[in-house]
Amino acid sequence: MATQYGAYTGKIIKIDLTNQTVEDYPFTDKERKLFLGGKIMAAKIIYDHIQGKIDPLSPENLIVISTGPLNAMGSPCSSRFNVSTISPLTGYYTSSNCGGNFGLNLKRAGYDAVIITGKAKERTYLKITDTGGVEFKNADHLWGLKSGEAQEKMEGKGGKFVIGPAGENLVRFACVVSEERVAGRGGVGAVFGSKNLK
């Protein structure tokens, strides 16, 4: 959806791991103004989808990876991004902020945010190309690897964001890693693992 605000790309995608589908997710300029920034945008998206108690490790849970309006704008310390979900550690909404190069590359690929739903039938990782395409890739060869090893073996040279064995084994305080930077709050890594997403 187009935007009048130059700090946004105007595009959010929703990825359904269960059915391996990708669709645009509508988010208006009015919403961008009311819910300014990636973290609050993600809270709005999760609120719109989840009202009431759910099992954080069920396919019903969402992961929203979002960038802020200053990301990729050349501002100091602005290449950070957020990972938001319902926490397996607390059962409530959590948002974990991360450095590394994933957020910058996500914005350069044309996305303000990615919403991940469902659960993959097999171990999977997602490849988002620099032209904005999304590919579902088999992750059997990455499963069991620590986050650094997995990043080295993944296709592509852009930003990477992965879980290690803790996330795969649903440890409720597991992290997700981009380069050597960590989204470590609330057990977001376990939610990735519950979705068979490396």
Side-chain angles (χ1 to χ4, degrees):
M1 179 176 285
T3 177
Q4 66 176 327
Y5 299 122
Y8 289 98
T9 69
K11 192 163 186 182
I12 297 172
I13 53 168
K14 186 175 182 180
I15 300 171
D16 181 343
L17 293 172
T18 304
N19 299 304
Q20 292 198 349
T21 58
V22 181
E23 62 183 5
D24 289 339
Y25 183 82
F27 205 81
T28 66
D29 272 354
K30 181 179 180 182
E31 289 173 309
R32 287 183 185 91
K33 187 175 180 180
L34 287 171
F35 305 99
L36 180 64
K39 188 174 189 174
I40 303 306
M41 173 192 287
K44 167 74 163 90
I45 291 167
I46 289 177
Y47 177 81
D48 286 346
H49 285 81
I50 300 172
Q51 295 179 8
K53 194 165 180 64
I54 65 163
D55 177 356
L57 300 179
S58 72
E60 188 181 356
N61 199 1
L62 303 179
I63 299 169
V64 182
I65 304 171
S66 55
T67 62
L70 295 181
N71 194 290
M73 298 292 285
S75 301
C77 305
S78 63
S79 65
R80 302 183 70 81
F81 61 101
N82 287 286
V83 187
S84 304
T85 190
I86 303 300
S87 167
L89 194 59
T90 67
Y92 297 102
Y93 172 79
T94 190
S95 185
S96 189
N97 190 267
C98 191
N101 62 0
F102 181 83
L104 180 64
N105 281 279
L106 181 65
K107 191 81 170 269
R108 286 179 175 168
Y111 298 121
D112 292 317
V114 174
I115 304 165
I116 301 170
T117 68
K119 179 178 180 176
K121 295 177 177 67
E122 60 182 21
R123 295 165 175 169
T124 300
Y125 74 95
L126 300 170
K127 181 179 179 183
I128 301 175
T129 67
D130 55 8
T131 56
V134 178
E135 300 173 16
F136 296 82
K137 300 284 205 177
N138 181 279
D140 282 346
H141 64 296
L142 302 173
W143 219 255
L145 297 181
K146 294 179 181 177
S147 58
E149 297 170 324
Q151 289 182 83
E152 288 175 9
K153 290 185 179 294
M154 288 175 98
E155 272 185 35
K157 297 179 180 178
K160 297 173 183 177
F161 193 45
V162 302
I163 60 171
E168 295 167 3
N169 290 289
L170 310 185
V171 174
R172 291 178 184 265
F173 51 86
C175 304
V176 194
V177 180
S178 174
E179 295 183 295
E180 76 286 353
R181 305 298 182 90
V182 174
R185 182 173 295 167
V188 292
V191 181
F192 275 66
S194 74
K195 295 182 177 299
N196 280 331
L197 183 63
K198 185 64 175 178

